[in-house]
Amino acid sequence: MSISKPDESIAAYAPLCHPYQTRLCAELEARFGDIAVLSKLFRFSRAATSELGEWCADVVWTLGLAIEEARKVEGKLERSFLADEDNRPIEMLDAELRRLREARDVVSNWTLLPPLAEGNLLSPKVLLLKNYLELVFEKPTGARCIVFVKRRYTARVLAELFAQWKMPNLHLGLLIGTRQGDPGDVKISFRQQVLTLMKFKKGEVNCLFATAIAEEGLDIPNCNLIVRFDLYETLIQYIQSRGRARHANSKYIHMIEDGNPLHIQGVRNVRLGEEVMRKFCEALPADRLLQGSDVSLDSTLAKERSLRSYTDPVTGAKLTYGSSLVVLAHFIGCLPHHSETNLQASYAITVENKLYVCEVILPESSPIHSATGRPSSKRAVAKRSAAFEACILLRKGGYLDSNLLPIYHKQLPAMRNAHLALNMKRSGNYTMRLKPSLWETTRGSAPDEFYLTALELETPENLGRPCQPLALLTRTRLPEIPAFTAYLQVQKTSEVLCTSIAQSFRPTTTELEHLTTFTLRIYKDVFNKTYETNQSQMSYWLAPILSESRVTTEEQSAERLIDWPTVKNVYENEELKWTMATPHSWLSNRYVIDRWDGGRRFFSDKVVPEMRPLDPLPAGCAPHRYDQNILDYSVSLFSKARGRAKWQDDQPVFLAHRNLHRLNWLDQLQEQELKAMTVSYLCPEPLKFSALPTTVAAMSYLFSAIIHRIDAYLIALEACEMLGLEIKPHLALEAVTKDSDNTDEHRAEQIHVQRGMGRNYERLEFIGDCFLKMATSISLFAKNPDNDEYEFHVKRMLLLCNKTLFDNALQLKLYEYIRTQGFSRRTWYPQGLKLLEGKGSTKTGTEVHKHQLGDKSIADVCEALIGAALLSYQSTGNMDMAVKAVTVMVSSPQHDVSKWEDYYKLYTKPRYQLASSSAATLDLAIKIEQKHGYHFNYPRLLQSAFIHPSCPFAWQKIPCYQRLEFLGDSLLDMACVNFLFYRHPDRDPQWLTEHKMAMVSNKFFGALAVKLGFNKHLRFNGPGVQYEIGQYVAEYEEVERESKGSRDYWTLTKDPPKCLPDIVEAYVGAIFVDSEFNYKVVEHFFDTHIRWFFEDMNIYDTFANNHPTTYLHSLLTNNFGCTHYRLMANELPSIDGSPIVVVAVVMIHEEIVTDAQASSGKNAKVKASANALKLLAGVAPFEFRAKYMCDCGRVKGEEVG
């Protein structure tokens, strides 16, 4: 693997002045220049005036004669005096010590000037470094910088100087040697070195001032900026210090004095020397290469007459003992793995009856775990026999083709990405139900029985005018309809309560006629729709509820709740008549309708006696096309009719408020609604006065939004009924609600948002996806006792992939029930009745409504319904409905259970679990029980959880932990997601996913394994595993000791060997199986060992932000101050059925800076983000602005100023 070299550049500073003495140094030398232990301080202070400046030269004394350092100087002086052979009197020592303390007093009383760029206070060299670091650390950044200096004092003084400047984004650290120096010399302990490096790795320190100690010998986390403040003296120093900058886009700065020939020649010398070294290495002869020592193997194999071979019947390709190692190694090399991982096979050789028997153990990602060869008298032959047997198994399994070449790397992506064979765009037009089938199925005849659902506001005063509850009368009783929010005025809302009354009543013919008229009158007077009277085709009826009645229980008498006098009055009066003889008081509190303009309806207030019909219309009134005077404003007739109309000139004028036809009561008021003017001055003669009381009319305006939401609930419940699931209504609706074209793109700007739909499916999809993974894992584990981990992964992916969910959803026509459209004034009206007047009256027939849905959106709804089924029974902990939902959605014999208890019925205990346990296994079970409180009924299950894949099966006849790890991984995932989901109910899925990464990361589970002592029980074969674990444990214990109670201390450790997190997951799988699939033991393990670390998830924000897409967003907005960027993905056209390819790009200021391809939009965006992060790594804000012409931050600053 090649290592990228940093970009090297030279930074020249102005020539330095000659060294001289500062006033402080001159005074000290005059009085104490003969004290030998101070000689080094005098020399360095003098040199510092040139290299660093006067301020730094004086700081040398404040640091060198600080109390702690002064004690060291005094100690040195005392030891030197006592070692002197002249036997000077002790009084001389006391005098020297007194003078030394006087020097310290002079320094402590000296007033240092602030480190300003004036005169010689700071050298050009220091100022150049300051200017550059200010640019690099202008904003919060992930940059890591090391400034290399020659002397410890230089590092210490520079750290002190930059601390004085207090750059907000520069976090300083000091890394110098631990060797004891001269008196007054500074040093740090090894422990301080370790802590500094830990802080540098975590980002708490982002700039180190370091001596040569950082060039080699210590583990320095990768940094992306190296500054050679003091130039190297050798080629080795140059190469080693440059090697610290291994990140992409790293920089290496040579600081040289302008016009200094020694500096210029020094840079040339190291570059020339490196080139000479490179050419020397390239010229090494071939005979210098190392070769293997198994030279006699071919002759040994030739002598073995009994060795088998395999010849493919189709191609004739031949597999022999000699070629088997190469074929197997080629196959292993094609297995999917991280770029930094080197996959290899492990060979374990044992002796049986004086013959060698070898078992080859393949990497964890291999479809075949191990194979055992035939006994042989030669170790080498036994090894090749095992490889041969492994190749035969791979050929039988179809993982080697007829040419003995691996096809695994071609098959796995197809398996892994089965869910990606979906269109990430909106791909099809599907029919959508606007109305629940309940209305259609109950129509056809006049009703003889009514069920009442009371519709009322929990806080009716927030409407701004009195209102009266309404009764929704239906032929069948409606299910429980959850309360939902209506947005009534600015910052004023109310919950809409829908209470279904259990008792029904039978209306008389007269009552039915009255109710029918009342309902149709609401449609006409409130919504300007005139329907024909056809009781058999009405879906529901409306009635006022007595104002003094408060619906508090379902056991009330429905008939007694209805305000029958109001119903009768509306039936008997199509409108209320006004005449000139009508008292003025009658005009107050009336619902008024413009006869010729369906959009103008008013609530009257009071008569204004001082106004006359022909008076000019006052300013600030609601707009109208006629406004010459008040009377003109009251009439909406067209020109010709207006000329013929005659009105009373002396009729009264009354104040009214025009009623706004709210577009959507289920959403916040829109800007145009907030600005709308409602005040109106009217004359009564041209207007119609409705028989509907204002309290009924006010509530009726909300009915359109209320019935729209009720329809949505009923459609969602019908979807559940179709699936055979019992889900709570609010969760059912949430699961089928998609409120934008890109609902699944969390934190992206939502496209075509449908407002007022309530919560969408994304949170339920998050937890449903996790339960789907767990449920299918348990079923596969129980049903397939002979499968290995690879086969489990293949089968599980085929079960839970989006393609499977989508195909099954199509069969069920689930798309009809998905809600993608918010409230519409055109679609909420009842179906079945013929519209005689009003918008839409010319339409004939039944409309078929369509909506566009992407394949993935439909699959997401499937997962959301699983989540809804799980949450519906959260309080009881019963997961049966969620199990049933998984069975419905995957529609596979691999998951065909309907209750949780059925999982264990599928499980057949394997022989190894039932076999007698050895003394060592029993001892292990006892130790685990004593420490963790769980008693294993089958200790060999526990033993299996601690057997590394490198251990041959032949040793104990117990399988390795991989099967249990597969199971435990999904169980712990579910426990962690449950915790996050319920503890953070308002967090979006992106946040939940990012923070789940911390909880289920290998880094945390590895640390947990050590904390629980699981690493001590792991059985493995080979020293490599032991070494890796030992190194990790040592670091973990050091970090834990220094944690001081911090719960996120484990994030400071390096990544653990994978076997450590694996055994945690395997242990959880083991206790789950041992407890007969009791999920409570998993929850107990989580509560006991994991919850404590994650009580405060805010401390893991940094960890979560390491996700490429999230980190890129943070980098661009916070570090670079850029707001003009986009991350987007698009699907490439598929040709001849080829796999779907999605390309994602990162654009900055309309320039595409990087792109990536994958099989899904999500993966493509992650790859593109990762590529962009590599491109931007180490880029300072000033460099970013120059490269991408970004002025986002500056424009913002100008606006503020």
Side-chain angles (χ1 to χ4, degrees), residues 27 30 40 69 166 222 227 306 322 853 922 942 1023 1146:
E27 180 176 336
K40 186 171 184 178
E69 297 298 328
K166 296 179 180 179
N222 289 353
V227 179
S306 61
L853 289 171
L922 292 173
L942 173 63
V1146 176

Side-chain angles (χ1 to χ4, degrees), residues 747 980 987 989-999 1001 1048 1050-1051 1094 1097-1114 1173:
R747 295 188 186 170
L980 280 176
R987 291 292 191 174
Q990 182 75 15
W991 187 94
L992 295 172
T993 300
E994 291 165 358
H995 288 72
K996 187 194 82 168
M997 288 168 56
M999 302 182 74
S1001 65
D1048 63 340
W1050 57 270
T1051 61
F1094 301 102
M1097 289 303 299
N1098 293 323
I1099 62 178
Y1100 296 104
D1101 286 346
T1102 301
F1103 190 98
N1105 288 338
N1106 287 331
H1107 186 278
T1109 303
T1110 305
Y1111 185 50
L1112 177 64
H1113 172 78
S1114 175
L1173 290 173

Side-chain angles (χ1 to χ4, degrees), residues 292-303 378 380-381 384:
S293 59
D294 203 1
V295 288
S296 62
L297 179 60
D298 290 338
S299 60
T300 303
L301 291 173
K303 294 176 183 178
K378 301 288 186 181
V381 175
R384 282 153 178 79

Side-chain angles (χ1 to χ4, degrees), residues 3 6 222 226 237-246 252:
I3 298 177
N222 289 353
I226 298 295
Q237 280 189 331
Y238 163 66
I239 293 176
Q240 288 180 333
S241 61
R242 188 185 66 184
R244 294 307 179 190
R246 294 190 288 267
Y252 187 89

